[in-house]
Amino acid sequence: MIYIIFIILALMTSSWDRWLGDYIFYSFPIMMVYIQFSDLKDEIKYIVPFIYTLFYFQFRYDVGFVAIIFYILYVFLNWIFKNKELSFITVTIYSGIFTAFLGYLSYSIISSIITMILIIMLYFLNLRLIINGK
């Protein structure tokens, strides 16, 4: 059941980023911060970005070299931040790389800045409470 929920979440996130990510904010970095620093299985942590990569790049650009680079970037960052403690620096770096990559692809600096502001606000509002309240 949890796999179905996260597959639907990945589809909704890719749809949001495809249609409104360039204009408002990207939802993928926000979702990945919550998934990375939660106690989910590693399978879910790799399935969600894989489905996101397939659907976002299939309908927005094409499933090609950029999509492969995006997924390899996720795997590499997941490997680096796997055992890191949640802090402001790690959340900012982890989400900032995805935000910068998506902003570079769509030439949208404003939505990247808005996404980073949202991630910083969410970190101070509830992400610390979720992680420290386990």
Side-chain angles (χ1 to χ4, degrees), residues 6 52 64 71 134:
F6 278 102
Y52 174 86
Y71 190 72
K134 289 181 183 177

Side-chain angles (χ1 to χ4, degrees), residues 68-87:
I68 294 169
I69 289 175
F70 185 78
Y71 190 72
I72 289 173
L73 179 70
Y74 170 77
V75 171
F76 181 70
L77 287 176
N78 194 22
W79 177 70
I80 288 175
F81 291 107
K82 187 171 187 169
N83 295 324
K84 298 286 183 185
E85 182 180 317
L86 176 70
S87 69

Side-chain angles (χ1 to χ4, degrees), residues 1-18 27-28 31 35 44 47-53 55-56:
M1 184 67 185
I2 193 146
Y3 291 107
I4 295 171
I5 292 171
F6 278 102
I7 288 171
I8 292 171
L9 182 66
L11 292 174
M12 290 181 355
T13 303
S14 66
S15 177
W16 170 270
D17 287 349
R18 187 177 66 238
S27 59
F28 178 74
M31 180 185 68
I35 288 176
I44 293 175
I47 288 173
V48 170
F50 182 73
I51 292 172
Y52 174 86
T53 303
F55 281 93
Y56 179 75

Side-chain angles (χ1 to χ4, degrees), residues 94-126:
Y94 184 76
S95 61
I97 293 172
F98 291 122
T99 305
F101 190 84
L102 291 171
Y104 174 74
L105 286 178
S106 62
Y107 302 111
S108 177
I109 300 297
I110 299 299
S111 61
S112 298
I113 292 170
I114 292 172
T115 303
M116 287 308 296
I117 290 171
L118 279 172
I119 289 171
I120 291 169
M121 287 174 27
L122 287 173
Y123 174 79
F124 287 112
L125 288 177
N126 67 355

